[in-house]
Amino acid sequence: MSSLPTSCDVLVVGAGPAGSAAATWAARAGLEVVLVDMAVFPRDKTCGDGLTPRAVHELSLLGLTDWVRTHPVSRGLRAHGFGQTLELPWPGGSLPDWGSAVARVELDGHLRDVAIKSGATALDGLKAVGVRREGERVAAVLFDGAEAGVRSEIACRHLIVADGVRSPLGKVLGREWHRDTVYGVAGRSYVASSRADDPWISSHLELRDESDAVLSGYGWVFPLGGGQVNLGAGTLATSKRPADVAIKPLMRLYASQIAVEFGLEATGADGAVALRQEASALLPMGGAVSNVAGPNWALIGDAAACVNPLNGEGIDYGLETGRLIASVLAEAPNTPLTDIWPEILREHYGEAFSIARRLAGIATNPRLVAALGPLGMRSDWLMTLALRWMGNLVTDDDRDRAARVWQWAGRRSLAVDRRPLFA
């Protein structure tokens, strides 16, 4: 564009799944939307690339079912660990009974294109560096990057912050990440594999270091088709139990341990697995941030720590929160977001996130993992329940016993939280 737009109804900063979903839904509601990202597209994003049934559901609402089905379709999770391998189908119910995996460089680009086709104006290569306020409201966002050495601003009625786990603009607005609850440290890579079309995503729940000691983490292999898989490893931590492993070396060790079983491509004389595009990230989880909204601005997706503490999934919550905030702005544009947005997040995610981060906190203790892991892996029934609960594949429409137990446990957990989620 030869010049930047000077104002809009809704300014969205960050064009990942959360930001693009918000821009799409807001534009479809008839609002004037500008979607801005600091990177130049196409761009990559550190991620496992997996799409759970919850994410597939949101993509279907956007009209993307057929597009998702052009990528690998997963039947469920193949869980490995403690001498067992279990194939656990996606449970279905009120959500789809299938999942998928799409590399983020493709997924994010496609979702951004959907936002543009829905009427949003998209700009890339612009870094949000500050805001101009009128009282407590954000009147405009300041950007660097339109031209070398020139700072520009875009005025807005509402601001949606979807700039990822570090959320630099969120920090400007007062966002604080609380690390006393569980957070993730994860790495991902791409590697050629003879099982790139496997209909199951794989997770190794028994992750060991070079001394064969069990770690409080997990590894994954997500088939992407086209001869490659996303391979990664993650570990859980808190401020009291910080992660004391180097994640990229751990990922390479994990790759060497499963190389034969998964037909991973090796290179060099030493036969090491040929990992490409290795990247790692810290993941705030379970709503462990405060100051997620102001009178006319709100944080969504990863910026609001909407990441599942039990499986590290954030794409589904990014898509969901994008749809939810757009609905609020379209239906109640004059309502201050300061109080209602944190409450909406707690209503949708409070119970699940609260109990999930307690369970994940237990998983930061390797001794407990080593003691409880073999017991769980002996039962298909128990692991099927665990898959549903770990993936938060429970909605308000579900009324079966497993859903009721999960929701009851979530309410009990939420009632004793020392710090409310998203506050």
Side-chain angles (χ1 to χ4, degrees), residues 210-292:
E210 290 181 328
S211 65
D212 201 40
V214 175
L215 300 171
S216 58
Y218 53 92
W220 70 80
V221 179
F222 293 165
L224 294 170
Q228 77 169 354
V229 298
N230 180 307
L231 180 148
T235 187
L236 299 170
T238 66
S239 56
K240 291 183 178 180
R241 287 198 182 103
D244 57 357
V245 298
I247 201 68
K248 289 184 180 179
L250 175 61
M251 185 167 57
R252 294 171 200 142
L253 175 63
Y254 167 61
S256 70
Q257 292 169 341
I258 65 169
V260 174
E261 180 182 3
F262 283 84
L264 304 181
E265 180 185 55
T267 185
D270 60 357
V273 176
L275 301 183
R276 303 186 307 277
Q277 295 175 252
E278 295 176 79
S280 61
L282 293 176
L283 295 175
M285 293 175 159
V289 295
S290 54
N291 298 319
V292 296

Side-chain angles (χ1 to χ4, degrees), residues 85-129:
T85 297
L86 304 177
E87 290 186 345
L88 309 170
W90 296 121
S94 60
L95 294 171
D97 62 357
W98 59 282
S100 185
V102 182
R104 286 291 296 272
V105 68
E106 180 184 358
L107 177 69
D108 289 16
H110 191 77
L111 288 173
R112 181 174 177 268
D113 288 344
V114 169
I116 293 169
K117 292 175 182 178
S118 298
T121 297
L123 308 170
D124 57 13
L126 291 175
K127 181 179 180 180
V129 294

